[in-house]
Amino acid sequence: TPLGRLEKYAFSENVFNSTHVCEHLRVCVSSEPTVRAELMEQVPNIAMFLHESQPNFPAAFSRYLVPIVVHYLTDPNNQVRKTSQAALLVLLEQGLICKGDMETKVCPVLLDLTEPSSDDDYKIEAVAIMCKLVTMLSKETVEQLLQRFCELCSDARLFQVRKVCAANFGEFCSIVGRDATEKLLMSKFFDLCSDSLWGIRKACADCFMIVSNSTSPEVRRTKLSPLFSSLISDQSRWVRQAAFQSLGRFISTFANPSTTGLYFKEDGTLLEVPRCPSDSNSPLCIESSNGPTVRPSHTPINQDGRSTPSLESMSRGDSDSRHTPPQNQQEGQARNNNNLPPTNNKNKETAQTDQNFNSFLYWRPPLADISQELEMLKEPHMDDPDVQAQVQVLSAALKAAQLESQSEEEGESESQTPEDGKPDDESSQNRVITEGRQTPEPPTQQARDPAPTEEQKENVIPQQLLDQYLSMTDPAQAQTVDTEIAKHCAFSLPGVALTLGRQNWHCLKDTYETLATDVQWKVRRTLAFSIHDLALILGDQLTAADLVPIFNGFLKDLDEVRIGVLKHLYDFLKLLHAENRREYLYQLQEFMVTDNSRNWRFRYQLAEQLILIMELYSHDDVYNYLRQIALTLCSDKVSEVRWISYQLVVEILQKMYACGARELGLNFINELIVRFCHCPKWVGRQAFAFICQAIVEEDCMPMDQFAQHLLPSLLSLSLDPVANVRVLVAKAMRQTFRPEPWSRQVENKFSFTTATWPR
C-alpha cells in the first residue's frame, strides 16, 4: 500500500530510499483541497520528524516542505490557506524554519501578496500573517517588511488591512527600534489614531504603551501625550474605554531612571536597589540588616590615564546615577540575604575594569532587560489577570527607564528644559507641584530618601495625563465610559506611583484611598495583590502612615481580597519597622478562619508565608505565636496543607536551636512526640517520621541531641502496623544512620540491626 511504502522508505537505512518520503509529499500538491488541508495539518509533525532524523534527511525540510507550505499560502481554497498559515506559525514557534528560508522563500511571497494589485482576500490574510511573524523574526528581516507595512497602514481601500496594522503596530515599533519608529512609523500611527473607523482608533489605544516605549522622552511628551488625549476624549465610547485602560500603562513609560531605584528579580518580585545615606544616587552602598554599609570606594583609571570623574561631579545636572540589579545569580543571592554586599576578587575586578571600563557606564549602568524574565515567571498567582496587568505596568515603567538610559549612552540629550535653561510654556503648565503638601520626614528617613530636587519635582508627567488618571475614580466615568474603570485604575496604580516617585505620592494618596474602599471587591483585590510593591515604592515612612491602615482593612476583608495580602505577607511585613511588624503576630491566627472552609489553598498559602516570616521575628515570638498555628495546620484535612506544615514545623525547630533556645526546642520536641508519634491515627505517626527525616536532612539540631530526644520515638515506629508509616521510618533511618561516630553508639545502645528494618 502507499502507506506501507511510505513507512518502508522513511525508516530505510538507504538514504536514497528515504528521499522517496518527500517525493510522496509532492503527490499531495495536486490532490483535492481536503487532502491538501489535511497535509498542512500534518506538516508540523512531519517537520519535527525530519528535524530529529537529520542524518537521513539532511535538507528535506528546506527543499520539499517549506516550498509546499509557501505555495499553499496562495491556494485558491480558503481552508487550505488557513491551515498553511497555521502550519507556518507553528514551524516558526518551534524554530524549524531557518533564517535563510524566511528571507528567500516566505517573505517574498508575503510581499507579493500585499501588493496593491493583489486580491483583497489574499492581501488581508497576508497582512495578518506578516504581523504575526514579526515577533518571531530578526530585526533585519523585519526591516525588509517595514516599507511595505508603512504602505499598508495607509491602505485607503481596505479598512481590514489598516485594522490589522493598527493592532500590531506596537510589535513593529518594538522590533525596529527608536530611529525607525520616529522616522517612518510615527506619522502612520498619527493617521491610524485619527482613522474614520472607531475600531482602528481603539486598536491604536490598546498598543499605545508599546509605541511609547519605542520613542524618545521628547516625542513621548510633546507628540504622543496630546495624541493620547485625543483618544481619551474620542467620540466613541469603545475608544475612550480602551484609552482609559491604557492610560496608566502609558503614564508608566514616563518613568525617570534617576528616581525609580527598583528592579525585578528572576522570580518577578520587585526589589529596591540599596542607596547610600550620603547620596541616594550612589552605587557605593549596600544596606545591611544592621544599617547602611559603605562599600570601599576606588577610583579606576581610564585607558588614557585619566581618573574617573568624582561622584559629586557625576551626580550634578543630567548625570543622575542609577542602580542596576545584580549582574549574576550569586550576587543577587547575596543581596537578597540580609542585603549583604557581594565579595569579588579584586584582581578579576581590576582586570575587567581595564578591559571594559566606561566612565559613563561606571556610574550609570542601564537597567537590565526584564522582558524575558517576566515571560518566565512561575509564581502560583501569575495566572491571575490582576497580577499580570500590574506586572505589565511596572515592567513598562522600568523598561522606559532602560530606554532613556540607552539614549543618554548614545549622547542624546534628555533635558526637559530648553538649552537656555528656561522652562517652556508646556513645561510650565505640565508640572506636578509638591511644595507645602508633603509631611516632613524624620531625619533617619531623610537620610535614606533625600529631598527631591526641583528637576525631580517638576515635569514628571504632563499634568493633563495625571488629571485624566485621577478622574478614573469618578462615578460618572463608570457610567459613561466603563463600569470597571476603577479596576483598571487599580491595575496601573503601582506603575503610576513608580513613575511619579514617592515625593509625589500626595497626588495619588486620595485616589488610592478611594479605590481601597470601593464597593467592588475586585478593585480592592487588585490593590491587595500589589500593596507590597507599592510599599517598596513609597518607603517605610509613607508605608506606615498611608498603607498600613489600608493593609489592616484588607486583612478583615473577603477571602478574595485577603488572599492578595496573604500571598505577599512576608514581602509587606519585612518593609515595616520591628515595632510595627510585631503587632501582626496577634493577627496571624485570623488567617486560619476563612469564609469557605473548603478553601484549603488559603491555609496552604499561610503555611508557606509563615516559613518566610519566621526570620522577621525572635525565637520567643515564633514559639509563642507561630508554633500553635503550625501544629494546627499539621492536622489539616487536606494532605497538601499538612505536608507543607510539616516543613514549617521543621523550620521552627531549626530556629530554636539556631538561636540557642534549646529548652524551647526540647519542649517543642516533646510536644511533637505526644501529638504525632503517639497519635492514634496513622497519618500523625507518618507525619512524625517525615519530620524526623527532614530534621536530619536539614541539620536542624545537633545529631547527638536528635539521637537522645527523637530517635527512640522514631525507632518505636519501625514495627508500626501501617505500611505507609514504616516506609517513611525506613527513609528516615537510612538518612539518620550515616557514617558518623555517634551512629555506632546509637546502634549498640538500642540493639538496632537491619534485620528489624521495615521492608
Side-chain angles (χ1 to χ4, degrees):
T1 63
L3 179 59
R5 292 197 301 270
L6 188 64
E7 292 179 346
K8 176 182 177 181
Y9 292 142
F11 296 99
S12 174
E13 296 180 358
N14 191 318
V15 177
F16 177 79
N17 290 337
S18 63
T19 58
H20 284 286
V21 174
C22 300
E23 295 297 336
H24 278 280
L25 296 178
R26 292 181 179 271
V27 179
C28 299
V29 177
S30 60
S31 302
E32 294 294 324
T34 55
V35 177
R36 300 198 300 274
E38 180 67 23
L39 172 62
M40 285 297 99
E41 292 181 359
Q42 299 300 325
V43 160
N45 297 329
I46 299 174
M48 183 58 67
F49 170 77
L50 296 177
H51 178 73
E52 295 174 352
S53 307
Q54 281 189 355
N56 293 332
F57 309 98
F61 175 74
S62 176
R63 183 179 304 174
Y64 297 100
L65 274 186
V66 174
I68 295 176
V69 174
V70 172
H71 177 73
Y72 282 175
L73 294 175
T74 62
D75 196 275
N77 184 272
N78 180 63
Q79 182 64 24
V80 176
R81 294 199 306 272
K82 294 295 184 183
T83 53
S84 65
Q85 296 167 13
L88 181 60
L89 289 176
V90 172
L91 295 176
L92 282 171
E93 292 173 353
Q94 296 179 351
L96 298 176
I97 298 184
C98 64
K99 178 181 177 181
D101 285 340
M102 285 300 305
E103 294 178 349
T104 60
K105 298 177 181 178
V106 179
C107 290
V109 174
L110 294 178
L111 291 175
D112 291 340
L113 294 176
T114 53
E115 288 283 351
S117 59
S118 179
D119 182 85
D120 292 350
D121 292 337
Y122 287 0
K123 179 185 292 187
I124 296 173
E125 294 172 356
V127 173
I129 195 67
M130 177 191 297
C131 293
K132 291 179 181 179
L133 296 181
V134 167
T135 57
M136 308 174 194
L137 301 177
S138 63
K139 181 179 179 181
E140 294 76 11
T141 306
V142 174
E143 290 176 348
Q144 299 178 8
L145 307 175
L146 183 59
Q147 189 62 40
R148 178 56 51 82
F149 178 78
C150 293
E151 297 173 359
L152 295 170
C153 289
S154 303
D155 194 309
R157 192 167 57 88
L158 295 174
F159 76 89
Q160 297 95 330
V161 172
R162 302 197 307 275
K163 187 174 182 179
V164 173
C165 292
N168 297 274
F169 203 92
E171 303 295 346
F172 268 91
C173 293
S174 62
I175 292 178
V176 299
R178 176 180 296 181
D179 292 340
T181 296
E182 295 182 354
K183 294 178 181 178
L184 301 176
L185 293 176
M186 194 53 59
S187 60
K188 303 299 180 181
F189 189 66
F190 272 76
D191 294 339
L192 292 173
C193 287
S194 58
D195 198 275
S196 58
L197 292 179
W198 67 265
I200 296 177
R201 303 196 301 274
K202 178 182 180 299
C204 293
D206 290 334
C207 67
F208 214 94
M209 179 192 72
I210 306 179
V211 176
S212 178
N213 270 332
S214 303
T215 62
S216 64
E218 181 182 2
V219 171
R220 187 179 303 133
R221 175 176 295 273
T222 60
K223 296 183 179 181
L224 290 183
S225 294
L227 180 62
F228 191 86
S229 297
S230 66
L231 293 176
I232 216 166
S233 59
D234 195 272
Q235 60 181 359
S236 171
R237 175 175 180 174
W238 307 112
V239 178
R240 297 197 306 272
Q241 184 180 106
F244 270 111
Q245 293 179 12
S246 300
L247 175 57
R249 288 174 286 180
F250 176 48
I251 290 176
S252 67
T253 63
F254 286 83
N256 190 330
S258 64
T259 59
T260 55
L262 300 171
Y263 68 94
F264 276 111
K265 286 182 61 180
E266 294 180 357
D267 60 357
T269 55
L270 188 67
L271 294 180
E272 183 175 16
V273 177
R275 297 179 176 181
C276 187
S278 61
D279 188 336
S280 63
N281 292 328
S282 172
L284 301 179
C285 174
I286 296 292
E287 286 185 10
S288 67
S289 58
N290 298 324
T293 301
V294 179
R295 189 183 296 172
S297 59
H298 56 280
T299 306
I301 305 298
N302 292 334
Q303 294 181 355
D304 58 1
R306 293 181 293 108
S307 62
T308 304
S310 64
L311 176 61
E312 291 77 9
S313 63
M314 293 303 296
S315 61
R316 292 195 299 264
D318 294 335
S319 301
D320 295 314
S321 63
R322 288 174 292 109
H323 306 284
T324 57
Q327 299 299 318
N328 55 59
Q329 186 177 2
Q330 294 180 350
E331 185 175 354
Q333 182 79 14
R335 293 193 180 187
N336 192 35
N337 297 333
N338 297 328
N339 293 329
L340 295 177
T343 57
N344 297 326
N345 185 282
K346 184 176 180 180
N347 295 332
K348 294 182 179 179
E349 182 178 353
T350 305
Q352 184 177 5
T353 301
D354 294 337
Q355 296 177 2
N356 303 320
F357 179 76
N358 181 289
S359 61
F360 185 81
L361 290 180
Y362 177 73
W363 296 108
R364 304 197 58 176
L367 291 172
D369 184 8
I370 62 173
S371 57
Q372 295 181 353
E373 295 181 9
L374 291 177
E375 295 175 357
M376 298 174 63
L377 294 182
K378 299 299 183 182
E379 290 190 20
H381 62 280
M382 284 309 298
D383 57 346
D384 191 295
D386 298 3
V387 185
Q388 291 176 344
Q390 291 161 357
V391 171
Q392 183 183 25
V393 171
L394 287 171
S395 63
L398 296 180
K399 184 177 180 181
Q402 175 195 7
L403 293 177
E404 290 188 24
S405 69
Q406 292 175 350
S407 64
E408 291 178 354
E409 183 181 337
E410 296 168 359
E412 299 178 7
S413 174
E414 294 190 13
S415 176
Q416 297 179 344
T417 58
E419 294 181 359
D420 58 3
K422 299 179 181 180
D424 55 19
D425 295 337
E426 195 243 350
S427 299
S428 301
Q429 297 174 359
N430 301 334
R431 62 179 59 180
V432 180
I433 304 298
T434 64
E435 297 176 353
R437 298 184 61 182
Q438 187 164 354
T439 305
E441 298 181 351
T444 56
Q445 181 68 17
Q446 289 179 354
R448 295 177 58 188
D449 306 308
T453 63
E454 287 300 320
E455 182 180 357
Q456 291 175 329
K457 288 183 179 180
E458 301 172 2
N459 298 319
V460 179
I461 60 174
Q463 186 67 41
Q464 186 177 8
L465 291 180
L466 180 60
D467 293 340
Q468 291 167 341
Y469 178 79
L470 298 179
S471 70
M472 294 178 72
T473 57
D474 188 349
Q477 297 282 27
Q479 298 177 1
T480 59
V481 179
D482 187 358
T483 57
E484 293 192 346
I485 190 172
K487 183 179 178 181
H488 298 306
C489 181
F491 279 162
S492 53
L493 195 141
V496 176
L498 178 66
T499 303
L500 291 176
R502 64 184 61 169
Q503 68 273 11
N504 290 313
W505 166 242
H506 65 275
C507 300
L508 296 175
K509 179 181 177 181
D510 293 341
T511 298
Y512 190 79
E513 293 177 350
T514 301
L515 293 171
T517 57
D518 196 279
V519 295
Q520 301 181 73
W521 64 265
K522 291 183 178 180
V523 177
R524 305 194 305 275
R525 169 187 168 91
T526 303
L527 296 181
F529 267 105
S530 62
I531 192 170
H532 66 289
D533 279 336
L534 189 60
L536 182 59
I537 294 170
L538 298 183
D540 51 5
Q541 184 194 5
L542 291 175
T543 295
D546 299 334
L547 296 188
V548 167
I550 294 176
F551 182 84
N552 294 338
F554 288 158
L555 292 178
K556 304 175 183 178
D557 213 312
L558 302 176
D559 284 354
E560 290 79 4
V561 179
R562 295 170 69 205
I563 190 63
V565 295
L566 178 58
K567 282 181 177 292
H568 294 284
L569 188 61
Y570 166 77
D571 295 326
F572 186 84
L573 293 182
K574 72 178 181 181
L575 300 175
L576 303 180
H577 292 296
E579 60 273 13
N580 297 331
R581 184 189 304 147
R582 198 170 185 276
E583 298 176 359
Y584 291 96
L585 281 171
Y586 309 93
Q587 304 183 45
L588 293 175
Q589 185 70 33
E590 298 178 5
F591 282 111
M592 297 292 294
V593 182
T594 57
D595 299 337
N596 185 355
S597 60
R598 297 180 179 178
N599 188 7
W600 64 269
R601 290 182 176 85
F602 203 96
R603 302 188 296 276
Y604 182 91
Q605 192 68 51
L606 174 61
E608 278 195 332
Q609 287 297 307
L610 291 180
I611 293 176
L612 300 174
I613 287 173
M614 277 195 302
E615 73 175 48
L616 304 178
Y617 297 101
S618 67
H619 62 274
D620 288 325
D621 288 337
V622 170
Y623 184 84
N624 294 329
Y625 296 98
L626 303 189
R627 184 184 97 262
Q628 286 300 328
I629 300 177
L631 293 176
T632 303
L633 290 173
C634 286
S635 302
D636 197 89
K637 296 180 180 180
V638 180
S639 62
E640 292 288 340
V641 179
R642 293 198 303 270
W643 285 107
I644 187 66
S645 302
Y646 301 155
Q647 185 63 39
L648 173 60
V649 166
V650 173
E651 296 290 340
I652 293 177
L653 185 62
Q654 184 176 28
K655 187 175 184 69
M656 297 297 104
Y657 277 90
C659 296
R662 293 196 174 186
E663 183 177 354
L664 293 180
L666 182 58
N667 293 339
F668 191 37
I669 288 175
N670 294 332
E671 196 169 6
L672 294 176
I673 294 174
V674 173
R675 183 180 289 258
F676 296 111
C677 183
H678 300 160
C679 181
K681 297 182 179 180
W682 70 269
V683 174
R685 303 194 299 273
Q686 182 191 50
F688 183 80
F690 176 81
I691 291 173
C692 290
Q693 178 186 355
I695 289 174
V696 176
E697 288 179 346
E698 300 182 16
D699 292 329
C700 295
M701 57 188 297
M703 296 308 298
D704 58 341
Q705 296 288 312
F706 175 85
Q708 180 180 355
H709 300 297
L710 281 173
L711 188 58
S713 299
L714 178 63
L715 292 175
S716 67
L717 298 178
S718 60
L719 299 177
D720 195 274
V722 179
N724 287 351
V725 177
R726 299 198 305 272
V727 167
L728 274 183
V729 171
K731 291 181 179 179
M733 299 308 299
R734 181 180 60 185
Q735 182 68 25
T736 301
F737 284 90
R738 297 176 296 179
E740 299 288 346
W742 60 268
S743 62
R744 294 183 180 179
Q745 300 176 4
V746 173
E747 290 182 13
N748 296 332
K749 181 177 181 180
F750 295 101
S751 300
F752 184 82
T753 63
T754 56
T756 63
W757 282 38
R759 300 183 181 277

